[in-house]
């Protein structure tokens, strides 16, 4: 066993073009560190509907140049099997090795006979998604780990409609990747096209064409969270006529180490502290944030003398209401873990609504999509620009909404209250557990399947649906849905991108004479459900 492991490591070194990861494995071999070697070779990063994502390092269980070369060669083989002269556009963010991985992809695609186009610098994921249809290429690759920790990187694949891959394409690409031999024998080409700034400019032009109102008086604080969104967002704000945003200085420039935050995710505790501080200093009306690859959008609003971050569901309902009032027609959609309020909003305006599995790879596949969102801060307010979540265009729509409300002497909270009065107060929350040992997640899910609770937070559990068996026409997925009395529901599922168990809670409270009383009751009910659910999952005693 020991000799086999060392042989695998040496074979990996022989094909690895990266001196850093070659040295990493060499040092582990010299030290006889079989535990560390075993961790790197025990498994292989699996290519799925989320592409690849994992920690940087040597070996098949890490993100590195060998893994990326195999992914590029496999994707090239898949594309060549489907059309005679395929083409691809490749983008990348500012994480460690992102540009290297992107150039490797372009070289291997070119060597395989696929026409490759490389974006000129690190740019937001929505620009890459836009470029696919703008250039008319067969596929797109974005090298990014989105809002993961700094030690991670990833490889996201889109097909020609600019939406992420779904089955069976993921399995077919994965099989093609598995068939790739040693990467040092792969042909490479250097005559790929490095694009100019015109693609990013065309994207900003499309975003700038969205607003139709005239209200522009708004004071906004913005953070790109050490990512690549700043320049594109600032230019979009300028072209739409809004005042310049106040960019958080310490988080303005791309920084692959994300030096001011523990996790570069606007949802994580502490990530927005600098934005909140700057908002108080400049008297901002609103706070907006992108995650590092700028496909997500977070919103904070003034609440008296302080500021409060809105949930993804609150922003989702606000944007849905805004577009419906603007007369935007088509299908409105939300993921199964998002609030049910958008379905009620769409029905009130006579528009179709669809519920999808978690992830924009599913929302983006709806042919008649007018607007889609998922509670994890992902919004598609302009599917004609990119059929993926887009944090840049979402920010512009949020600024437009906030400016219009300000001109009317109203606030974001006034609008949320109006939505609650019309459709009921939909209070949402989460029980989210990050783990080191993945067996904790599988054990908790097994406990819920075998011993589902009958009462949670004082509400009777009226239905238990195992999503592995499908749910209301949706494809099977690993998750469990609990329906509670009064329209409340819980969905528990393992995260697809992080070592987390995520449980999504929603209660619906009728609004009587007092909106504040309804909000208090909603929060009380969520807290009680969360406490009982932790016990039911075996996560609390």
């Amino acid at each position: 066993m020991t000799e086999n492991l060392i042989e695998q490591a040496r074979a990996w070194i022989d094909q690895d073009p990266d001196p850093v990861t070659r040295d990493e494995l060499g040092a582990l071999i010299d030290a006889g560190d079989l535990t560390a070697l075993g961790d790197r070779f025990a498994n292989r990063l699996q290519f799925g509907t989320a592409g690849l994502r994992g920690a940087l390092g040597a070996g098949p269980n890490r993100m590195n140049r060998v893994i990326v070369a195999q992914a590029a060669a496999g994707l090239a083989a898949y594309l060549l099997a489907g059309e005679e002269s395929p083409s691809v556009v490749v983008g990348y963010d500012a994480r460690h090795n992102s540009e290297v991985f992107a150039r490797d992809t372009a070289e291997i695609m070119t060597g395989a006979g696929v026409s490759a186009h490389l974006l000129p610098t690190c740019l937001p994921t929505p620009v890459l998604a836009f470029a696919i249809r703008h250039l008319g290429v067969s596929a797109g690759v974005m090298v990014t780990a989105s809002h993961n920790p700094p030690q991670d990187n990833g490889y996201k694949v889109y097909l020609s409609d600019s939406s992420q891959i779904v089955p069976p394409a993921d399995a077919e690409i994965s099989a093609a990747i598995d068939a790739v031999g040693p990467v040092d024998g792969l042909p490479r080409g250097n005559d790929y096209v490095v694009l100019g700034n015109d693609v990013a400019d065309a994207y900003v032009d499309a975003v700038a064409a969205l607003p139709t109102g005239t209200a522009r008086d708004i004071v906004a604080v913005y953070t790109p969270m050490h990512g690549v969104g700043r320049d594109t967002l600032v230019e979009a704000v300028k072209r739409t006529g809004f005042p310049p945003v106040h960019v958080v200085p310490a988080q303005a420039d791309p920084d692959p180490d994300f030096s001011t935050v523990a996790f570069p995710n606007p949802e994580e505790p502490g990530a927005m502290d600098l934005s909140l501080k700057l908002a108080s200093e400049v008297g901002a009306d609103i706070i907006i944030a992108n995650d590092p690859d700028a496909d997500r959008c977070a919103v904070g609003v003034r609440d008296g003398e302080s500021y409060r971050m809105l949930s993804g569901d609150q922003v989702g309902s606000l944007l849905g209401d805004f577009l419906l009032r603007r007369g935007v027609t088509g299908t409105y959609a939300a993921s199964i873990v998002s609030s049910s309020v958008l379905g009620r909003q769409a029905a009130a305006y006579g528009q179709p609504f669809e519920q999808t599995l978690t992830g924009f790879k599913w929302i983006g596949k709806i042919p008649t999509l007018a607007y889609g969102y998922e509670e994890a801060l992902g919004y598609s307010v302009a599917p004609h620009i990119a059929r993926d979540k887009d944090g840049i265009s979402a920010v512009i729509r949020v600024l437009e909404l906030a400016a219009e409300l300000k001109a009317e002497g109203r606030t974001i909270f006034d609008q949320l209250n109006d939505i609650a009065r019309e459709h009921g107060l939909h209070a949402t929350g989460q029980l989210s557990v990050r783990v080191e040992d993945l067996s904790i997640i599988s054990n908790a899910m097994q406990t819920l399947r075998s011993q589902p609770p009958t009462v949670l937070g004082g509400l009777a559990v009226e239905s238990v649906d195992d999503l592995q068996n499908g749910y209301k026409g949706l494809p099977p997925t690993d998750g469990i849905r609990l329906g509670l009395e009064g329209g409340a529901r819980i969905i528990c599922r393992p995260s697809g991108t992080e070592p987390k168990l995520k449980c999504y809670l929603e209660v619906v409270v009728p609004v009587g004479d007092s909106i504040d009383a309804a909000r208090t009751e909603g929060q009380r009910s969520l807290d009680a459900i969360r406490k009982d659910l932790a016990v039911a999952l075996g996560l609390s005693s």
Side-chain angles (χ1 to χ4, degrees):
M1 185 70 178
T2 299
E3 290 182 0
N4 183 50
L5 184 57
I6 291 174
E7 285 177 6
Q8 290 182 64
R10 285 178 173 152
W12 191 274
I13 290 172
D14 289 341
Q15 65 172 324
D16 191 348
D18 190 337
V20 174
T21 44
R22 288 202 307 267
D23 290 347
E24 177 186 332
L25 284 183
L28 294 176
I29 292 171
D30 292 342
D33 192 341
L34 300 180
T35 300
L37 285 173
D39 179 50
R40 284 158 176 77
F41 285 87
N43 296 294
R44 177 187 174 85
L45 288 183
Q46 292 300 304
F47 186 94
T49 53
L52 293 167
R53 196 175 293 187
L56 292 162
N61 202 26
R62 298 287 190 274
M63 280 294 298
N64 51 65
R65 293 183 68 186
V66 175
I67 284 290
V68 165
Q70 291 170 340
L75 177 59
Y78 170 84
L79 295 174
L80 288 162
E83 58 183 290
E84 186 174 342
S85 301
S87 53
V88 66
V89 59
V90 183
Y92 56 97
D93 66 9
R95 284 177 177 266
H96 292 296
N97 273 10
S98 284
E99 183 176 0
V100 174
F101 292 164
R103 290 191 179 275
D104 279 344
T105 297
E107 290 177 6
I108 288 169
M109 288 286 178
T110 303
V114 176
S115 176
H117 307 262
L118 180 67
L119 291 180
T121 187
C122 54
L123 285 164
T125 292
V127 175
L128 182 278
F130 167 81
I132 296 166
R133 287 200 290 181
H134 180 72
L135 297 173
V137 296
S138 312
V141 171
M142 183 69 190
V143 181
T144 179
S146 188
H147 56 279
N148 274 39
Q151 65 269 22
D152 288 2
N153 212 327
Y155 198 85
K156 186 182 293 187
V157 174
Y158 299 78
L159 295 180
S160 57
D161 62 355
S162 88
S163 62
Q164 297 175 53
I165 55 172
V166 298
D170 59 335
E172 293 168 357
I173 296 171
S174 182
I177 292 171
D178 290 342
V180 175
V183 301
D184 56 332
L186 292 173
R188 290 180 177 242
N190 292 315
D191 54 339
Y192 54 86
V193 176
V194 179
L195 298 165
N197 295 324
D198 53 317
V199 173
D201 288 342
Y203 166 80
V204 174
D205 286 342
V207 172
L210 292 175
T212 56
T214 58
R216 292 293 184 271
D217 178 20
I218 196 75
V219 180
V221 160
Y222 169 70
T223 176
M225 202 64 65
H226 296 296
V228 297
R230 180 194 60 192
D231 292 350
T232 305
L233 187 282
V234 167
E235 183 63 20
V237 168
K238 177 182 177 181
R239 293 197 203 175
T240 46
F242 291 101
V245 294
H246 296 267
V247 182
V248 176
Q251 297 175 339
D253 295 327
D255 173 12
D257 295 316
F258 306 107
S259 53
T260 69
V261 293
F263 289 94
N265 180 351
E267 294 179 293
E268 292 286 344
M272 295 299 296
D273 286 356
L274 293 177
S275 298
L276 294 163
K277 181 175 182 293
L278 181 59
S280 295
E281 293 171 355
V282 302
D285 300 307
I286 196 163
I287 299 168
I288 45 179
N290 288 135
D291 67 338
D293 69 326
D295 64 350
R296 298 171 193 256
C297 167
V299 179
V301 295
R302 184 191 290 275
D303 185 13
E305 295 301 313
S306 60
Y307 294 85
R308 179 150 57 95
M309 299 304 298
L310 300 181
S311 71
D313 284 317
Q314 287 175 315
V315 177
S317 67
L318 285 165
L319 288 171
D321 173 76
F322 176 80
L323 294 173
L324 286 162
R325 287 189 290 107
R326 281 291 174 90
V328 176
T329 60
T331 301
Y332 285 68
S335 64
I336 190 173
V337 299
S338 302
S339 172
S340 60
V341 68
L342 184 62
R344 299 189 184 192
Q345 292 173 294
Y349 282 82
Q351 296 303 308
F353 172 77
E354 285 192 29
Q355 188 177 67
T356 73
L357 292 183
T358 306
F360 257 86
K361 57 184 175 283
W362 300 106
I363 294 174
K365 293 294 183 185
I366 297 172
T368 56
L369 184 68
Y371 167 67
Y373 96 93
E374 59 182 3
E375 56 75 42
L377 310 183
Y379 314 96
S380 175
V381 298
H384 65 283
I385 295 177
R387 300 189 73 81
D388 194 15
K389 55 185 176 289
D390 181 348
I392 303 293
S393 60
V395 164
I396 297 302
R397 284 302 201 190
V398 167
L399 291 177
E400 188 180 10
L401 168 61
E404 288 187 0
L405 290 171
K406 183 179 180 181
E408 297 168 1
R410 303 177 70 242
T411 69
I412 292 285
F413 285 118
D414 290 333
Q415 194 66 19
L416 283 170
N417 289 343
D418 285 352
I419 293 170
R421 291 187 183 98
E422 183 175 359
H423 303 291
L425 176 69
H426 289 64
T428 59
Q430 276 195 33
L431 171 64
S432 181
V433 182
R434 184 182 293 272
V435 302
E436 295 290 336
D437 181 0
L438 293 178
S439 68
I440 294 173
I441 294 177
S442 57
N443 290 341
M445 292 295 292
Q446 179 56 35
T447 297
L448 195 58
R449 284 189 168 97
S450 60
Q451 304 172 50
T454 57
V455 177
L456 289 170
L459 300 176
V461 176
E462 296 180 336
S463 63
V464 180
D465 293 287
D466 191 338
L467 303 185
Q468 287 187 149
N469 301 322
Y471 176 75
K472 292 189 175 181
L474 297 178
T477 188
D478 187 7
I480 298 170
R481 185 187 189 279
L482 305 177
L484 282 63
E485 63 179 299
R489 64 103 179 105
I490 299 164
I491 295 172
C492 295
R493 60 180 284 272
S495 170
T497 57
E498 299 176 89
K500 282 184 175 181
L501 175 65
K502 303 184 81 171
C503 302
Y504 305 82
L505 322 178
E506 180 175 40
V507 297
V508 183
V509 182
V511 177
D513 296 333
S514 171
I515 189 75
D516 290 336
R519 292 194 186 282
T520 299
E521 172 58 23
Q523 190 58 55
R524 183 208 65 76
S525 185
L526 288 175
D527 291 343
I529 291 171
R530 186 182 295 108
K531 181 179 178 181
D532 287 355
L533 182 61
V535 175
L537 289 167
L539 301 174
S540 176
S541 57

